[in-house]
Amino acid sequence: MIGVIARQQLLACRRQNLAPVTVVVLGGFAVLAGILGWASHHTIIGIYDESVKLVTDRGQTAPPNPFLLKPTLSMLSNEMIYITVIGALVAIVVGHLAIASDATNGIGRLVFSRPIRRRDYTFGKLAATGTILGAGVAVSYLVSVAALTVVDRFPTGGDLVRLAGFYLFAWLYLMLFAVIGAVALLLLRRRSLGLLAAIGVWLTLTFALPQFTSGLRPSQSLNPIVDPVPINQTLFRITSHVRPYSIAEQFKEAAGRILATATPEPAADTWLRIAPIVVAFALLAALTWNLITRHDYSRSNPE
Amino acid sequence: MNSTSISRIRTLAAHEYRAAVRSRILLTLLGILAVATIASVYVASVAHRSQVADYRAYKDAASASGLDRIAPSNLAPMSLLRGAFEYLQIIGAVIAVSLGYLTVQRERTNRTLPLLRSRPVTAGEQATGGLLGAAALLATIVAITAITGVICIGVIGNDWVTPSELLQLALAYLVSIVYMTGFYALGVFCSVRSRHAVNGLIAALCVLVLFVLVTPQIGDTLDADNQIPGGLFKALGMNRADETTILNHFNVYETLRTRIEWISFSQHYQRFVFAMADVKERYRPLGLGGLMTKVWTDLAWVFAAPAALIALQRRAVRTQPTMQEGATS
């Protein structure tokens, strides 16, 4: 039954063009990250060549190749920003629609006129959402591998594993926002309010919370390379306790460690950054199940 | 435009405003923006308060020792609103696009468009009425965040803005309403043009992310010196003069990089409001007239882009079918 519900949801998303749009958007931003990486790569090479010429003319020793200073996968640093920005927004819409369409067009009423368990219905919805977002993430993975191959060389086995780990983590992050979209609608019932509330959560987690916990302005939250912000105020001594739960920050920090583009740290510390995201997803998925169990599908969701 | 038409537009605008207020959207949006604004201004104000206290202590000490020429404070209280303006730039744009989507979605779900079209209301009046209603709603949001910001500077930062600074801020907030209204028009345009309004919302959000977040960020990302933590030129052992010499070989790249930033009207909005809010130190000594000569091109962009988006919105509303065949959401 889970498969039936999931297939029905996938079909609905395909008919609404939501599934192809999601894949194209996620893949498109991976292409953009690749292009930016390619452009910056060529510039660094060019600047290095010019600097070698400059110091050679002066009779000095040539500086070391900057690519020895730059981690291989750092070319994809922008991708983690795009996941937290556009990816999370798209995931909210996917999660929102997974619940909204059945409640609005009467399919929910029809479905529950049959002996279908709410648990199967919930897992079916989650499976369909996971498949759509998974397809987008898989396309992004392939695009990233292609970008690395074009710019430098085919990634090593280790890099491929790191990249796969990063995109698996990104998929989990997107699933979290998909369930946020679903829970917001189930709690508030009104579609418009549900969607806006979910977008509000995204804005809070992506921009407002990092400001409170780390003093990062919105524009700083968008930059993969950020200069440290002085956070010695009393406020930050208090709010820094919340930083482990600032999941957008933790996502970027953990993604940086998975891609080996950030300062290394013990694996346990990275797992501690990932844990809140896993726990949040598990709790919200359970809440989705609970809310679906109690949801009255005989009523349409008002606008 | 006769008085009957104006009356219909006013009615439609009031409906647009009321519909948003009734659905509790305004409160949700205001809550998000107000909390974010207070957070950003608080963080900045705490540091500012100690700087103001230091300056006052210095001034008192200097006066007590008989000095009659005391250096003026270089603190710019309005610059504490930098984060608040960044929130308007990002959250404000998201809010405006969402409002545009919800306007179309509401009409489709409630099937009010056929009813509206059965009345003597032209599509132009409908587009204008909706736009004015949304602009009024956005003006309310901006006004509340502006008052919140100014009060925070005074209460938390211990520094109140002067009347002339207030004028600059008023101009910045007025431009913010124009900027957000442009995004509302984008939300309506994309949603109307999509068979399923939600796909239009995604399209509008993509455009928003591209112009508000991605293109301005590309400038930073493509900056050669930002490619290595700590700076590429520092890593290569180059000084400032060497850096300039080397970058002369990359004129095309540098021009392209700045031009990409330049095509984002959101970036022009940011430059304008930052100039008005004294965020950039080089603009602080200038009066309003001097500022306007520096940022008039940015202002022109901020007006031109919403004007184009509003034209698109009007065209889309005029040509939208009364019944959406097969549309569900």
Side-chain angles (χ1 to χ4, degrees), chain A residues 72-73 76 141-142 144-146 148-149 153-168 258-259:
Chain A
T72 321
L73 298 177
L76 301 170
Y141 175 76
L142 294 176
S144 298
V145 172
L148 287 167
T149 309
R153 56 182 162 72
F154 189 77
T156 62
D159 285 346
L160 285 174
V161 171
R162 283 185 179 281
L163 212 51
F166 164 70
Y167 277 112
L168 187 67
I258 293 170
L259 290 171

Side-chain angles (χ1 to χ4, degrees), chain A residues 16 18 32 40 43-44 46-47 58 70 78 85 192 195-196 199-200 207 211-212 217-219 222-223 225, chain B residues 25 32 39-40 82 86-87 94 98 102 198-199 201-202 213-214 217 220-221 224 226-227 242 250 253 329:
Chain A
Q16 290 181 330
L18 184 67
L32 183 64
S40 58
T43 311
I44 290 182
I47 286 175
R58 290 178 189 159
K70 197 172 158 67
N78 274 312
V85 176
S192 52
L195 185 61
L196 275 174
I199 290 177
F207 298 109
Q211 169 116 49
F212 258 121
R217 285 193 316 274
S219 57
L222 289 170
N223 212 326
I225 299 167
Chain B
I25 289 171
I32 296 164
S40 68
R82 178 182 182 155
E86 285 187 10
Y87 280 119
V94 172
S98 306
L102 289 169
V198 75
N199 284 344
L201 174 65
I202 296 181
L213 305 177
V214 177
Q217 188 233 17
D220 270 354
T221 306
N226 286 348
Q227 301 302 317
D242 293 339
F250 296 90
Y253 177 85
S329 60

Side-chain angles (χ1 to χ4, degrees), chain A residues 66-286:
Chain A
F67 274 95
L68 298 176
L69 307 168
K70 197 172 158 67
T72 321
L73 298 177
S74 63
M75 198 189 97
L76 301 170
S77 297
N78 274 312
E79 181 64 358
M80 68 177 86
I81 302 293
Y82 297 148
I83 291 286
T84 58
V85 176
I86 189 74
L89 267 179
V90 171
I92 283 173
V93 175
V94 172
H96 170 86
L97 279 183
I99 302 299
S101 46
D102 281 6
T104 307
N105 60 21
I107 287 181
R109 215 175 305 166
L110 182 68
V111 166
F112 290 112
S113 69
R114 314 294 303 159
I116 294 171
R117 285 187 299 181
R118 300 278 173 130
R119 188 194 67 184
D120 293 350
Y121 180 81
T122 309
F123 286 146
K125 290 288 178 186
L126 285 175
T129 306
T131 306
I132 294 169
L133 295 175
V137 164
V139 168
S140 304
Y141 175 76
L142 294 176
V143 167
S144 298
V145 172
L148 287 167
T149 309
V150 169
V151 173
D152 194 8
R153 56 182 162 72
F154 189 77
T156 62
D159 285 346
L160 285 174
V161 171
R162 283 185 179 281
L163 212 51
F166 164 70
Y167 277 112
L168 187 67
F169 184 38
W171 175 81
L172 176 71
Y173 189 76
L174 296 182
M175 284 299 287
L176 171 62
F177 279 90
V179 290
I180 286 173
V183 165
L185 178 61
L186 286 162
L187 280 173
L188 297 167
R189 293 184 179 273
R190 298 177 78 93
R191 287 196 62 175
S192 52
L193 206 57
L195 185 61
L196 275 174
I199 290 177
V201 172
W202 166 75
L203 289 169
T204 307
L205 291 174
T206 311
F207 298 109
L209 207 51
Q211 169 116 49
F212 258 121
T213 58
S214 303
L216 292 173
R217 285 193 316 274
S219 57
Q220 288 172 310
S221 293
L222 289 170
N223 212 326
I225 299 167
V226 183
D227 289 330
V229 180
I231 48 170
N232 48 4
Q233 294 173 10
T234 315
L235 172 76
F236 292 120
R237 280 199 291 274
I238 299 164
T239 59
S240 60
H241 296 296
V242 186
R243 201 177 301 148
Y245 310 104
S246 174
I247 60 164
E249 274 184 279
Q250 296 306 331
F251 172 78
K252 283 184 271 187
E253 291 286 341
R257 266 71 188 201
I258 293 170
L259 290 171
T261 56
T263 317
E265 66 179 12
D269 291 353
T270 304
W271 281 111
L272 281 176
R273 295 180 190 281
I274 296 171
I277 296 171
V278 176
V279 171
F281 170 69
L283 288 176
L284 285 172

